[in-house]
Amino acid sequence: MRKGSIFIYYGEGKGKTTLAIGQGIRAVGEGLGVIMIQFLDYNNTKEGTPLKMLEPDFRVFRFEKIRESIADIDENTKKDISSEIRNAFNFTRKIIETGECDVLILDGIIDAVENGYIDIEDLYEIISRKKSYMDIIATGNTVSDSLKEKSDYVYKICKEKTPSGV
């Protein structure tokens, strides 16, 4: 039986989601099932379209409405976002409880914690309940030392150079 691990991909640079998806595609190639749940990824739908071709082996779930930005949001929108993230988190719990995939990608969940939408203790609780064969991949911009401690693999993605205006 395979042994599952906890992976963290974090940093300010681009590529965290792409790296997680690549690991998921590799898992599909090994005959494993993958589920990706997106948190706080309002206007990024580019990855989802080609992944539909991999269904049912690689399934993507998104609970949030598409929004231009969350930079200047009012209280009602914040409540809506909180409700959407709570639905995504409850779905995450269900996936972990049922063990219906081998690789669970929680894209942006670390940012949902950092922005106060999910309590860090709730994240620790679901991580502790993962099935022994299940990999969990979590992405976000910053990560706490305590989450690093609870993880098997931690990768920092950083931007060294980009063209101006990007």
Side-chain angles (χ1 to χ4, degrees):
M1 179 177 266
R2 79 187 288 277
K3 181 187 176 315
S5 299
I6 308 287
F7 295 82
I8 302 291
Y9 300 139
Y10 81 101
E12 295 297 324
K14 293 182 179 246
K16 299 174 292 287
T17 299
T18 304
L19 185 58
I21 289 171
Q23 191 169 344
I25 290 171
R26 183 174 163 189
V28 168
E30 295 172 4
L32 303 175
V34 179
I35 292 177
M36 181 167 96
I37 303 171
Q38 291 188 299
F39 296 82
L40 292 176
D41 201 6
Y42 304 108
N43 58 3
N44 191 1
T45 57
K46 295 173 192 143
E47 295 102 347
T49 303
L51 291 176
K52 288 193 182 301
M53 292 184 269
L54 296 175
E55 288 181 354
D57 300 316
F58 194 127
R59 295 178 288 157
V60 178
F61 296 91
R62 174 191 205 124
F63 291 80
E64 296 166 71
K65 296 175 189 169
I66 295 176
R67 293 181 175 84
E68 290 297 315
S69 169
I70 61 162
D72 297 315
I73 58 171
D74 60 25
E75 279 304 308
N76 286 335
T77 304
K78 188 170 183 164
K79 285 179 186 174
D80 288 346
I81 292 169
S82 183
S83 176
E84 293 160 3
I85 290 174
R86 182 57 45 198
N87 289 339
F89 192 74
N90 288 336
F91 183 69
T92 300
R93 251 194 194 109
K94 177 184 169 264
I95 297 300
I96 289 174
E97 286 172 10
T98 61
E100 73 178 83
C101 67
D102 302 293
V103 177
L104 178 59
I105 301 170
L106 303 175
D107 185 37
I109 195 165
I110 298 170
D111 295 335
V113 169
E114 287 297 314
N115 286 297
Y117 292 108
I118 298 172
D119 187 73
I120 190 70
E121 294 302 322
D122 289 339
L123 178 58
Y124 294 158
E125 185 256 330
I126 63 163
I127 287 173
S128 73
R129 293 179 175 261
K130 80 171 189 63
K131 305 296 183 204
S132 61
Y133 58 84
M134 183 184 285
D135 286 340
I136 294 179
I137 303 169
T139 70
N141 289 333
T142 62
V143 64
S144 68
D145 288 338
S146 60
L147 184 54
K148 287 179 186 179
E149 275 297 310
K150 294 183 182 307
S151 303
D152 300 299
Y153 299 90
V154 179
Y155 296 91
K156 183 175 184 181
I157 311 301
C158 64
K159 173 175 54 172
E160 287 194 20
K161 181 181 175 182
T162 61
S164 62
V166 175

